mmCIF file of all heavy atoms in Angstrom:
data_model
loop_
_atom_site.group_PDB
_atom_site.id
_atom_site.type_symbol
_atom_site.label_atom_id
_atom_site.label_comp_id
_atom_site.label_asym_id
_atom_site.label_seq_id
_atom_site.Cartn_x
_atom_site.Cartn_y
_atom_site.Cartn_z
ATOM 1 N N ARG B 37 38.313 46.743 -15.769
ATOM 2 C CA ARG B 37 39.491 45.914 -16.018
ATOM 3 C C ARG B 37 39.285 45.124 -17.292
ATOM 4 O O ARG B 37 38.227 44.560 -17.510
ATOM 5 C CB ARG B 37 39.685 44.928 -14.877
ATOM 6 C CG ARG B 37 40.126 45.576 -13.604
ATOM 7 C CD ARG B 37 40.505 44.515 -12.629
ATOM 8 N NE ARG B 37 39.326 44.186 -11.840
ATOM 9 C CZ ARG B 37 39.246 43.150 -11.042
ATOM 10 N NH1 ARG B 37 40.231 42.311 -10.942
ATOM 11 N NH2 ARG B 37 38.166 42.908 -10.355
ATOM 12 N N ALA B 38 40.306 45.066 -18.095
ATOM 13 C CA ALA B 38 40.250 44.261 -19.315
ATOM 14 C C ALA B 38 40.597 42.825 -18.963
ATOM 15 O O ALA B 38 41.451 42.578 -18.133
ATOM 16 C CB ALA B 38 41.234 44.788 -20.351
ATOM 17 N N PRO B 39 39.919 41.865 -19.578
ATOM 18 C CA PRO B 39 40.284 40.471 -19.341
ATOM 19 C C PRO B 39 41.641 40.180 -19.964
ATOM 20 O O PRO B 39 42.038 40.828 -20.919
ATOM 21 C CB PRO B 39 39.175 39.695 -20.053
ATOM 22 C CG PRO B 39 38.648 40.626 -21.074
ATOM 23 C CD PRO B 39 38.831 42.009 -20.519
ATOM 24 N N ARG B 41 44.434 38.729 -22.268
ATOM 25 C CA ARG B 41 44.562 38.214 -23.639
ATOM 26 C C ARG B 41 43.293 38.317 -24.475
ATOM 27 O O ARG B 41 43.053 37.495 -25.344
ATOM 28 C CB ARG B 41 45.017 36.757 -23.610
ATOM 29 C CG ARG B 41 46.376 36.568 -23.015
ATOM 30 C CD ARG B 41 46.672 35.129 -22.831
ATOM 31 N NE ARG B 41 45.780 34.655 -21.777
ATOM 32 C CZ ARG B 41 45.526 33.404 -21.493
ATOM 33 N NH1 ARG B 41 46.081 32.462 -22.160
ATOM 34 N NH2 ARG B 41 44.711 33.061 -20.533
ATOM 35 N N ALA B 42 42.460 39.306 -24.243
ATOM 36 C CA ALA B 42 41.241 39.449 -25.051
ATOM 37 C C ALA B 42 41.446 40.534 -26.100
ATOM 38 O O ALA B 42 41.677 41.677 -25.766
ATOM 39 C CB ALA B 42 40.054 39.825 -24.165
ATOM 40 N N PRO B 43 41.398 40.182 -27.388
ATOM 41 C CA PRO B 43 41.515 41.205 -28.417
ATOM 42 C C PRO B 43 40.378 42.204 -28.281
ATOM 43 O O PRO B 43 39.226 41.831 -28.148
ATOM 44 C CB PRO B 43 41.392 40.425 -29.728
ATOM 45 C CG PRO B 43 41.554 38.994 -29.376
ATOM 46 C CD PRO B 43 41.201 38.856 -27.930
ATOM 47 N N LYS B 44 40.709 43.493 -28.296
ATOM 48 C CA LYS B 44 39.711 44.510 -27.981
ATOM 49 C C LYS B 44 38.632 44.670 -29.046
ATOM 50 O O LYS B 44 37.494 44.915 -28.729
ATOM 51 C CB LYS B 44 40.393 45.845 -27.725
ATOM 52 C CG LYS B 44 41.151 45.846 -26.417
ATOM 53 C CD LYS B 44 41.622 47.215 -26.077
ATOM 54 C CE LYS B 44 42.307 47.177 -24.740
ATOM 55 N NZ LYS B 44 42.711 48.468 -24.301
ATOM 56 N N GLN B 45 38.963 44.572 -30.300
ATOM 57 C CA GLN B 45 37.976 44.902 -31.326
ATOM 58 C C GLN B 45 37.541 43.725 -32.186
ATOM 59 O O GLN B 45 36.884 43.926 -33.183
ATOM 60 C CB GLN B 45 38.510 46.030 -32.218
ATOM 61 C CG GLN B 45 38.709 47.339 -31.481
ATOM 62 C CD GLN B 45 37.439 47.836 -30.817
ATOM 63 O OE1 GLN B 45 36.354 47.738 -31.368
ATOM 64 N NE2 GLN B 45 37.553 48.363 -29.621
ATOM 65 N N GLN B 46 37.876 42.527 -31.820
ATOM 66 C CA GLN B 46 37.458 41.381 -32.617
ATOM 67 C C GLN B 46 35.947 41.189 -32.469
ATOM 68 O O GLN B 46 35.449 40.951 -31.378
ATOM 69 C CB GLN B 46 38.200 40.130 -32.185
ATOM 70 C CG GLN B 46 37.915 38.961 -33.086
ATOM 71 C CD GLN B 46 38.710 37.737 -32.678
ATOM 72 O OE1 GLN B 46 39.420 37.738 -31.687
ATOM 73 N NE2 GLN B 46 38.577 36.676 -33.448
ATOM 74 N N ARG B 47 35.235 41.312 -33.576
ATOM 75 C CA ARG B 47 33.774 41.184 -33.536
ATOM 76 C C ARG B 47 33.355 39.736 -33.410
ATOM 77 O O ARG B 47 33.975 38.845 -33.974
ATOM 78 C CB ARG B 47 33.150 41.796 -34.786
ATOM 79 C CG ARG B 47 33.253 43.292 -34.777
ATOM 80 C CD ARG B 47 32.385 43.976 -35.765
ATOM 81 N NE ARG B 47 32.253 43.281 -37.041
ATOM 82 C CZ ARG B 47 31.550 43.737 -38.047
ATOM 83 N NH1 ARG B 47 30.927 44.881 -37.946
ATOM 84 N NH2 ARG B 47 31.458 43.063 -39.169
ATOM 85 N N SER B 59 28.873 41.809 -31.006
ATOM 86 C CA SER B 59 29.599 42.449 -29.920
ATOM 87 C C SER B 59 31.078 42.198 -30.149
ATOM 88 O O SER B 59 31.464 41.588 -31.148
ATOM 89 C CB SER B 59 29.141 41.864 -28.572
ATOM 90 O OG SER B 59 29.688 42.599 -27.510
ATOM 91 N N SER B 60 31.896 42.669 -29.241
ATOM 92 C CA SER B 60 33.329 42.392 -29.349
ATOM 93 C C SER B 60 33.704 41.279 -28.371
ATOM 94 O O SER B 60 33.040 41.077 -27.344
ATOM 95 C CB SER B 60 34.146 43.646 -29.039
ATOM 96 O OG SER B 60 34.033 43.980 -27.669
ATOM 97 N N ARG B 61 34.735 40.562 -28.701
ATOM 98 C CA ARG B 61 35.236 39.514 -27.805
ATOM 99 C C ARG B 61 35.642 40.148 -26.475
ATOM 100 O O ARG B 61 35.447 39.572 -25.408
ATOM 101 C CB ARG B 61 36.410 38.784 -28.460
ATOM 102 C CG ARG B 61 36.819 37.536 -27.723
ATOM 103 C CD ARG B 61 37.827 36.721 -28.516
ATOM 104 N NE ARG B 61 37.367 36.351 -29.843
ATOM 105 C CZ ARG B 61 36.560 35.334 -30.117
ATOM 106 N NH1 ARG B 61 36.112 34.584 -29.143
ATOM 107 N NH2 ARG B 61 36.194 35.062 -31.348
ATOM 108 N N HIS B 62 36.157 41.366 -26.523
ATOM 109 C CA HIS B 62 36.545 42.097 -25.308
ATOM 110 C C HIS B 62 35.342 42.290 -24.388
ATOM 111 O O HIS B 62 35.414 42.015 -23.187
ATOM 112 C CB HIS B 62 37.153 43.448 -25.696
ATOM 113 C CG HIS B 62 37.452 44.326 -24.540
ATOM 114 N ND1 HIS B 62 38.527 44.130 -23.719
ATOM 115 C CD2 HIS B 62 36.804 45.408 -24.064
ATOM 116 C CE1 HIS B 62 38.532 45.060 -22.777
ATOM 117 N NE2 HIS B 62 37.490 45.848 -22.965
ATOM 118 N N THR B 63 34.223 42.750 -24.934
ATOM 119 C CA THR B 63 33.017 42.967 -24.128
ATOM 120 C C THR B 63 32.538 41.657 -23.525
ATOM 121 O O THR B 63 32.235 41.589 -22.330
ATOM 122 C CB THR B 63 31.900 43.588 -24.982
ATOM 123 O OG1 THR B 63 32.301 44.894 -25.382
ATOM 124 C CG2 THR B 63 30.588 43.672 -24.219
ATOM 125 N N LEU B 64 32.461 40.613 -24.311
ATOM 126 C CA LEU B 64 31.952 39.330 -23.843
ATOM 127 C C LEU B 64 32.891 38.658 -22.853
ATOM 128 O O LEU B 64 32.488 37.726 -22.155
ATOM 129 C CB LEU B 64 31.662 38.412 -25.025
ATOM 130 C CG LEU B 64 30.595 38.946 -25.986
ATOM 131 C CD1 LEU B 64 30.525 38.074 -27.226
ATOM 132 C CD2 LEU B 64 29.241 39.055 -25.305
ATOM 133 N N GLN B 66 34.498 40.434 -20.409
ATOM 134 C CA GLN B 66 34.695 41.346 -19.280
ATOM 135 C C GLN B 66 34.825 40.590 -17.958
ATOM 136 O O GLN B 66 35.537 41.015 -17.075
ATOM 137 C CB GLN B 66 33.551 42.355 -19.178
ATOM 138 C CG GLN B 66 33.649 43.496 -20.145
ATOM 139 C CD GLN B 66 34.870 44.364 -19.900
ATOM 140 O OE1 GLN B 66 35.221 44.662 -18.769
ATOM 141 N NE2 GLN B 66 35.523 44.753 -20.970
#
Side-chain angles (χ1 to χ4, degrees):
R37 290 189 268 169
R41 296 172 291 165
K44 289 189 177 184
Q45 295 303 320
Q46 187 178 4
R47 289 195 323 181
S59 188
S60 69
R61 191 171 304 279
H62 174 76
T63 294
L64 298 172
Q66 281 296 319

